[in-house]
Amino acid sequence: DGGITQSPKYLFRKEGQNVTLSCEQNLNHDAMYWYRQDPGQGLRLIYYSQIVNDFQKGDIAEGYSVSREKKESFPLTVTSAQKNPTAFYLCASSIDPTGGRETQYFGPGTRLLVL
Amino acid sequence: QKEVEQNSGPLSVPEGAIASLNCTYSDRVSQSFFWYRQYSGKSPELIMSIYSNGDKEDGRFTAQLNKASQYVSLLIRDSQPSDSATYLCAVMNTGFQKLVFGTGTRLLVSP
C-alpha cells in the first residue's frame, strides 16, 4: 500500500524533554511538510523540504527541528524550547513542489501531549 | 485580515439538502485552491482541487472559483450524515508553493 505513515499515534512529553515524531512516505514524493493543528485553528506550517538534504522554516519553526537524509523520511523533533507543544501534528507530501499545482496528501497524524 | 477566511459554523443542513461552504482569500495572485475534509480526530483528506475560474464537479461535490472576487466555494449536493465534518479551504501562495489553510467550517447534516 502506498501512503504516508506517522508514528506514534500518541506521544507524551515530559518537561524539558525532546521528542521525535516519525513521518515516512512510499509515494516517491519529492516534497514533505510538517504542520501543527491546534483546536479550532487551521493548519500552520512548521518546516518543509523540497529535496533530500534541504529544508526550510515555515511560519512557526521556533522550538522544532527536522532532517531530510532520505527521500522517504522527514522526522520532526519537538525540542524543550517549544513551550506549548500540545497539538495535533500532521505530515504531508507532494509530488513536485515546483509544479505549482501539486496536491499535498496527509498522514494520519500524531497527537502530542505534555505530562 | 486573515489570508484565508472561512465561517467556522456550524452549518446545519438536513439530509438530502445542498450544503454551501464558502472561502475568501487575500492573495490576489493565488493559483491553486483546495478543499479538504477532516473528520474529528483524523487528518485532512482531499475533496477537490480547482485552478481555473468557474465550476468543477466531482460526484456530489462542486467547487466554484471566482478569482476576481477572490472567492472559492464548495457545494455538496444530496448531503448525507456521513458528510458531517470540518471542511478546510486551502490556497496555494505564489512563490514557494505554500498551502495556507483557513480555520475550517464545521458541517452538520441531520438525518
Side-chain angles (χ1 to χ4, degrees):
Chain A
D1 281 343
I4 304 171
T5 57
Q6 290 186 244
S7 62
K9 186 174 182 180
Y10 295 96
L11 185 57
F12 299 92
R13 193 191 91 163
K14 295 179 181 179
E15 290 288 336
Q17 186 181 36
N18 292 351
V19 293
T20 298
L21 286 62
S22 171
C23 178
E24 305 274 335
Q25 54 97 0
N26 63 3
L27 302 168
N28 200 33
H29 285 180
D30 287 318
M32 297 185 74
Y33 312 83
W34 275 106
Y35 292 91
R36 168 180 173 146
Q37 187 176 35
D38 294 280
Q41 295 194 31
L43 280 66
R44 293 183 291 167
L45 183 64
I46 305 173
Y47 268 98
Y48 63 94
S49 169
Q50 297 179 325
I51 195 169
V52 174
N53 292 323
D54 186 49
F55 49 83
Q56 306 295 329
K57 293 181 179 179
D59 298 321
I60 55 165
E62 184 175 353
Y64 300 97
S65 65
V66 293
S67 63
R68 186 88 186 278
E69 297 176 0
K70 297 186 296 183
K71 186 175 184 177
E72 59 269 25
S73 179
F74 192 40
L76 174 74
T77 296
V78 184
T79 74
S80 57
Q82 174 48 246
K83 297 306 179 187
N84 184 23
T86 297
F88 189 38
Y89 289 86
L90 291 157
C91 178
S93 69
S94 64
I95 296 174
D96 175 10
T98 62
R101 291 190 172 191
E102 295 305 334
T103 303
Q104 292 184 18
Y105 298 92
F106 287 87
T110 292
R111 199 166 296 277
L112 177 60
L113 300 168
V114 176
L115 294 177
Chain B
Q1 180 188 7
K2 292 183 180 178
E3 294 182 75
V4 178
E5 293 206 52
Q6 297 181 256
N7 189 317
S8 61
L11 172 66
S12 296
V13 299
E15 184 174 358
I18 296 175
S20 178
L21 304 161
N22 304 315
C23 173
T24 57
Y25 60 94
S26 60
D27 185 349
R28 181 170 291 278
V29 296
S30 296
Q31 298 293 323
S32 309
F33 307 86
F34 305 87
W35 283 100
Y36 288 85
R37 177 176 62 197
Q38 186 175 26
Y39 292 112
S40 181
K42 302 296 185 182
S43 63
E45 56 179 325
L46 181 73
I47 298 295
M48 297 278 288
S49 59
I50 187 167
Y51 308 107
S52 304
N53 278 329
D55 295 358
K56 179 181 177 182
E57 186 175 318
D58 184 1
R60 296 187 296 113
F61 299 96
T62 299
Q64 298 176 318
L65 176 60
N66 183 327
K67 290 186 178 180
S69 299
Q70 294 174 240
Y71 176 95
V72 57
S73 65
L74 180 70
L75 301 178
I76 306 174
R77 290 181 299 281
D78 188 25
S79 294
Q80 301 297 309
S82 59
D83 294 326
S84 298
T86 296
Y87 289 80
L88 301 172
C89 174
V91 177
M92 188 78 85
N93 273 8
T94 54
F96 164 60
Q97 284 72 25
K98 184 178 81 166
L99 267 185
V100 179
F101 286 84
T103 55
T105 297
R106 187 176 170 211
L107 173 66
L108 298 175
V109 181
S110 54

